[in-house]
Amino acid sequence: MTTQPVYLRIADDLRRQIVDGRLAAGDKVPSRHELAREYEVSDRVAVQAVRLLVTEGYLEARPGSGTYVRQRPTVRRMMRSWYRESRGGSPFRADMEEQSRAGTWTSSSTTEKATPTVAERLNITEDDAVMCTQYVFRADDEPVMLSTSWEPLALTRGTAIMMPEQGPHAGQGVVARMRAIGLDIATAEEVLTARAILANEAELLHEPLGSIVMVVRRTYTGEQGPVETADIVVPVDRYELAYITPVE
Amino acid sequence: MTTQPVYLRIADDLRRQIVDGRLAAGDKVPSRHELAREYEVSDRVAVQAVRLLVTEGYLEARPGSGTYVRQRPTVRRMMRSWYRESRGGSPFRADMEEQSRAGTWTSSSTTEKATPTVAERLNITEDDAVMCTQYVFRADDEPVMLSTSWEPLALTRGTAIMMPEQGPHAGQGVVARMRAIGLDIATAEEVLTARAILANEAELLHEPLGSIVMVVRRTYTGEQGPVETADIVVPVDRYELAYITPVE
DNA sequence: TCGAATTTGTGCGTATGTATC
DNA sequence: GGATACATACGCACAAATTCG
């Protein structure tokens, strides 16, 4: 066995104290000078250990104040199964109601030309016009989820639902809106991946840089092909995603 | 606007060169002495910048040799929809065959007492006996996925399928195995989250520390309740997970 | 086979700036 | 304003791994 670097030993030590509960959320961790004295190393080594745990999300450093065990938000569950869309109204608001939280959101829409990626997902031609809408979803006023959606203007131009969040069908979800103009959605494809949070997302979601988000690439498809696609960004700190499917 | 730290500027610079393709996979990155001279900073700052990109998975450091742009595995898709189990045989092998890859795995089983978490997921009592099986799944001999599965021994003890990977039903998947002893599985629940990779997982999967994995907490449930639950660990570098569900 | 040069990983000590209390 | 604590930066040192003549 090779001997471990000192900074990893210190980090392991602190990490164990946190997962064991000897250090609770909000507790202050010894300052780096104290750690350096405690473990008889230079302060630089203590800094290295602490910084590792900060990037791992265990600790939170507040300049001028100290380093604290990070408060982990409670993880809630978001249903993404087949019956999600069958409840009527906004799927997000229904999700929130099941948790006794108030689901709200803000959005802004612009028309754009389809990027190559979006064009491929919507099965349209590059530079075809699309309606791009950015959402910030909130639960009890706390931002919890981001979404960017694209709809081909070839389908919606001139209809009552062209602007997703205006008109008589605003806030009812994509399936209901599309049905209003005679487009029945048959399937939802959700492709999942995860990555580090981006700077602008971190700001919008009040998450620390370095935290991890899941990205759901969702595409709704009707008889004639895709009618909407969206990138949904969910911090893993706040939500886990649940898919329940029948087997046979 | 606050001025960015130098090490972040250097990291941004290198990252951009990589995503732009000016630095290709396998290319050698300037050594820290060269970087330090180039950017007129101390070597420690160059080290810090490079280490950031290593944890982000862009670079790979080989002591004594140099630092290289990491070969990114191509992201493949893994279907996790309703028909996954309906294809017969091993779901994993079927997934791999669709990609023209050879799906193999190794496993080892032990009997254990249920931890509180596992007991809750299987709806059994803490310390009830379970069969715990660890899997390493490979595609063309390259490890791509880990799984730990638990089955209540109360259901399988004394049957031909007690050992998941031995006997006449080995390698056929949970649904087929359970059916062999008269247990029909009705639903699959998959709860998804993501986190940083753990050290032992990184070693098994040949992934760098700091890379991100998705964790699928899957539970198969029959008429009488849960019959199997598993934690499936998938590096986001290698796979995205696809769920296709009918709407309405 | 051996040794020298290179490169990374880790470590020490110090200094400056800035945020918090 | 002063004390404290974190963030960043400089420069150097040594061990271990690798490369190459």
Side-chain angles (χ1 to χ4, degrees):
Chain A
M1 175 192 152
T2 69
T3 160
Q4 271 213 333
V6 181
Y7 79 100
L8 284 183
R9 214 183 64 73
I10 299 175
D12 282 347
D13 222 28
L14 289 172
R15 200 189 290 107
R16 187 171 306 276
Q17 289 182 47
I18 294 169
V19 298
D20 285 359
R22 298 205 296 282
L23 278 171
D27 280 4
K28 191 168 175 173
V29 168
S31 79
R32 64 183 182 209
H33 289 294
E34 292 171 318
L35 281 175
R37 247 186 321 125
E38 222 175 284
Y39 289 92
E40 297 180 334
V41 294
S42 91
D43 66 339
R44 304 293 305 138
V45 176
V47 167
Q48 212 173 343
V50 168
R51 198 171 39 199
L52 179 60
L53 294 182
V54 168
T55 67
E56 287 179 1
Y58 286 101
L59 298 181
E60 189 182 346
R62 291 206 276 274
S65 172
T67 306
Y68 302 83
V69 178
R70 181 146 167 263
Q71 190 81 351
R72 299 231 178 201
T74 46
V75 175
R76 292 192 164 82
R77 190 166 294 192
M78 202 173 297
M79 295 304 306
R80 301 206 67 83
S81 306
W82 53 277
Y83 63 83
R84 172 181 165 81
E85 292 289 353
S86 63
R87 295 171 295 188
S90 148
F92 175 73
R93 186 173 288 150
D95 269 340
M96 292 303 105
E97 267 167 17
E98 283 175 12
Q99 301 165 13
S100 312
R101 310 178 92 198
T104 59
W105 62 88
T106 52
S107 68
S108 73
S109 297
T110 55
T111 66
E112 295 178 0
K113 288 181 173 178
T115 63
T117 323
V118 168
E120 201 216 320
R121 284 161 63 176
L122 288 174
N123 197 25
I124 58 179
T125 309
E126 205 177 318
D127 294 338
D128 277 358
V130 290
M131 178 67 66
C132 173
T133 308
Q134 310 239 2
Y135 293 89
V136 178
F137 291 94
R138 296 188 173 77
D140 294 338
D141 289 330
E142 176 195 54
V144 294
M145 188 169 87
L146 305 176
S147 172
T148 308
S149 124
W150 295 270
E151 296 173 356
L153 271 171
L155 295 179
T156 60
R157 188 182 280 117
T159 72
I161 66 155
M162 187 176 91
M163 303 295 291
E165 296 295 325
Q166 289 177 25
H169 301 283
Q172 292 184 0
V174 179
V175 174
R177 285 179 47 244
M178 289 296 167
R179 186 152 43 213
I181 61 167
L183 287 172
D184 278 338
I185 290 175
T187 59
E189 181 193 73
E190 305 206 328
V191 178
L192 279 91
T193 140
R195 57 167 169 76
I197 200 168
L198 303 179
N200 65 323
E201 297 167 343
E203 193 178 355
L204 285 168
L205 292 168
H206 303 165
E207 285 278 326
L209 273 172
S211 65
I212 296 175
V213 293
M214 284 188 280
V215 181
V216 181
R217 226 152 58 226
R218 179 193 65 193
T219 306
Y220 283 124
T221 303
E223 296 287 320
Q224 316 299 325
V227 300
E228 193 248 19
T229 191
D231 283 350
I232 302 161
V233 175
V234 184
V236 298
D237 272 359
R238 292 229 177 74
Y239 282 100
E240 49 192 24
L241 305 179
Y243 292 83
I244 297 179
T245 50
V247 171
E248 198 288 342
Chain B
M1 173 190 151
T2 69
T3 159
Q4 270 216 334
V6 180
Y7 78 99
L8 284 183
R9 214 184 63 73
I10 300 175
D12 281 348
D13 220 30
L14 289 172
R15 201 189 289 108
R16 188 172 307 276
Q17 290 183 46
I18 294 168
V19 298
D20 284 358
R22 298 205 296 282
L23 279 171
D27 280 4
K28 193 167 175 173
V29 167
S31 77
R32 72 180 185 209
H33 288 296
E34 291 172 317
L35 281 176
R37 245 185 324 121
E38 222 173 285
Y39 289 91
E40 297 180 332
V41 295
S42 89
D43 66 338
R44 302 297 295 145
V45 176
V47 168
Q48 210 174 346
V50 167
R51 197 173 39 196
L52 179 61
L53 295 181
V54 169
T55 66
E56 287 180 359
Y58 287 100
L59 298 181
E60 188 183 347
R62 292 204 276 274
S65 172
T67 306
Y68 302 83
V69 178
R70 181 149 167 264
Q71 189 79 36
R72 294 241 179 195
T74 47
V75 174
R76 292 191 163 82
R77 190 166 294 193
M78 201 172 298
M79 295 304 307
R80 301 207 65 83
S81 305
W82 53 276
Y83 63 82
R84 173 182 164 83
E85 293 289 356
S86 64
R87 295 171 295 189
S90 149
F92 175 73
R93 186 173 288 150
D95 269 339
M96 292 304 106
E97 267 166 19
E98 282 174 12
Q99 301 166 11
S100 313
R101 309 179 90 195
T104 59
W105 61 90
T106 52
S107 69
S108 73
S109 297
T110 56
T111 66
E112 295 179 359
K113 288 181 175 176
T115 63
T117 323
V118 168
E120 201 217 319
R121 283 162 62 176
L122 288 173
N123 197 23
I124 59 179
T125 310
E126 205 178 319
D127 295 339
D128 277 358
V130 290
M131 179 65 66
C132 173
T133 309
Q134 310 240 3
Y135 292 89
V136 178
F137 291 94
R138 295 185 175 78
D140 294 339
D141 288 329
E142 177 195 54
V144 293
M145 188 170 86
L146 305 176
S147 172
T148 308
S149 124
W150 295 271
E151 296 174 357
L153 272 171
L155 295 179
T156 61
R157 188 183 279 116
T159 71
I161 65 154
M162 188 176 90
M163 303 294 292
E165 295 296 326
Q166 290 178 26
H169 301 283
Q172 292 185 0
V174 178
V175 174
R177 284 180 46 245
M178 289 295 167
R179 185 151 46 214
I181 61 168
L183 288 172
D184 278 337
I185 290 175
T187 60
E189 181 193 72
E190 305 207 329
V191 178
L192 281 91
T193 105
R195 57 167 169 76
I197 200 167
L198 303 178
N200 64 323
E201 297 167 342
E203 194 177 356
L204 285 169
L205 292 168
H206 302 166
E207 286 278 326
L209 274 172
S211 65
I212 296 175
V213 293
M214 283 186 282
V215 181
V216 181
R217 226 152 58 225
R218 179 193 64 194
T219 305
Y220 282 124
T221 303
E223 295 287 320
Q224 316 298 325
V227 300
E228 192 249 19
T229 192
D231 282 350
I232 301 162
V233 175
V234 185
V236 299
D237 269 1
R238 291 230 174 73
Y239 282 101
E240 50 191 22
L241 305 179
Y243 292 83
I244 297 180
T245 48
V247 171
E248 204 275 344

